[in-house]
Amino acid sequence: MVPHHVEREHTLNWFRVFWDGDGDYPGSSDANSCAANGCEETHDGSCLCKTKALESIPFGSVDSISKEDILHNLFIGAVGPPSDSVPSARDGFTAHIVGGDVDQSTVLSGSNISFRNVPHFTSLIGVGSRGGEQNLRNAQYESDAVLEHYFYHDNVAPFLCTRIMQRFSFSNPSPRYVASCVEAFRSGSYSSGGEIFGSGEYGNLEAMAASILLDREATDVAVTSDPSFGSLMEPMIKNGDIPMSRDFQVRLWEIDKKIGQGSYS
């Protein structure tokens, strides 16, 4: 799901809904397919839809509505019924009404449609005056889960490979070169000259470093004739290289305004 006002190309902030049961979303059919609703089918088979939440009053009473009416008009799930609500059994569903009036506190139950919320470890259950069971252990578990999610993100390997290649004097690595490094990072293994580098575990830096330094794009002398090969010297180093080699004293006052890079950037 993506917020309705956000373009997909401008964000990666969406989440996948894992529906319980067979995995199909409610009302899934040939007539109610991903494309029919203006959604986009992604590479993993899920359906990416732009959504927005609207607040309105669909029912003024529960006397004349059916379960089909509820599924057709209500799309946001609710927490459990309030403790002071009174259950009223209807045809295919139960209305939990507070104070005898059907309003925003009313909960309608009876559907077996549900999906798993995003996993979290910090409890939100109230405990007396403390407000919840949050503690240091839960916060650490939550932090570990987030970091693990980031570590296994699809963008981590190409990002690290490109940045480290640039630090190894390859400012413009080819797509093949980056892809080889990405494969080494993800598989944890790289083979060159009969030697195998890495432990075979995801994220192994030995395998990634070997794939950068031992690749033909780094060792073949023929690539030096390519004008795009190599690394550009950073402006700060370039402008300070000659003066410092002659033991000149260089004044760096407001140097960033002149060359676009400061001494500590």
Side-chain angles (χ1 to χ4, degrees):
M1 294 183 179
V2 178
H4 189 268
H5 63 283
V6 176
E7 295 295 335
R8 179 194 170 180
E9 292 76 12
H10 299 160
T11 181
L12 290 176
N13 185 23
W14 65 70
F15 68 94
R16 182 177 179 181
V17 175
F18 294 90
W19 294 101
D20 291 340
D22 56 9
D24 291 333
Y25 61 89
S28 177
S29 64
D30 293 338
N32 188 26
S33 63
C34 184
N37 287 284
C39 302
E40 177 184 350
E41 186 170 347
T42 61
H43 65 280
D44 61 356
S46 57
C47 190
L48 182 63
C49 300
K50 301 187 70 173
T51 61
K52 59 181 177 180
L54 299 176
E55 290 189 6
S56 60
I57 304 176
F59 311 119
S61 170
V62 295
D63 295 331
S64 59
I65 63 174
S66 63
K67 182 176 180 180
E68 288 71 24
D69 294 330
I70 296 174
L71 295 177
H72 181 74
N73 290 277
L74 303 181
F75 305 99
I76 300 178
V79 296
S83 59
D84 56 345
S85 64
V86 178
S88 176
R90 303 286 171 165
D91 183 17
F93 69 95
T94 301
H96 303 268
I97 304 173
V98 178
D101 298 322
V102 177
D103 54 19
Q104 66 271 18
S105 64
T106 302
V107 175
L108 306 176
S109 63
S111 170
N112 58 357
I113 298 172
S114 63
F115 65 85
R116 178 177 61 81
N117 286 328
V118 177
H120 66 89
F121 300 97
T122 303
S123 175
L124 301 178
I125 301 175
V127 181
S129 60
R130 289 181 294 169
E133 296 178 338
Q134 296 91 344
N135 53 50
L136 179 60
R137 182 203 63 184
N138 289 346
Q140 291 173 340
Y141 287 168
E142 187 87 3
S143 300
D144 288 342
V146 170
L147 292 175
E148 184 173 342
H149 172 74
Y150 292 155
F151 182 56
Y152 286 97
H153 192 278
D154 292 342
N155 193 46
V156 168
F159 177 85
L160 289 178
C161 284
T162 303
R163 295 301 181 275
I164 294 179
M165 284 176 174
Q166 291 172 344
R167 298 305 178 273
F168 274 123
S169 301
F170 306 106
S171 289
N172 190 32
S174 67
R176 183 209 59 81
Y177 193 13
V178 175
S180 174
C181 177
V182 168
E183 176 60 27
F185 181 88
R186 291 175 175 171
S187 65
S189 178
Y190 182 78
S191 177
S192 177
E195 296 289 335
I196 299 178
F197 301 88
S199 62
E201 297 179 353
Y202 175 91
N204 186 270
L205 295 181
E206 178 188 348
M208 184 181 70
S211 69
I212 295 175
L213 298 175
L214 300 178
D215 187 87
R216 67 173 185 266
E217 196 163 321
T219 59
D220 193 343
V221 295
V223 299
T224 58
S225 60
D226 186 348
S228 65
F229 177 78
S231 177
L232 292 175
M233 186 178 292
E234 295 184 30
M236 190 66 207
I237 299 177
K238 182 177 181 181
N239 284 272
D241 188 36
I242 295 178
M244 287 187 292
S245 67
R246 289 170 170 76
D247 293 329
F248 290 165
Q249 293 184 355
V250 181
R251 187 179 181 184
L252 302 178
W253 179 256
E254 295 185 342
I255 190 69
D256 57 308
K257 296 181 180 179
K258 300 175 181 179
I259 65 174
Q261 185 183 35
S263 55
Y264 296 103
S265 46

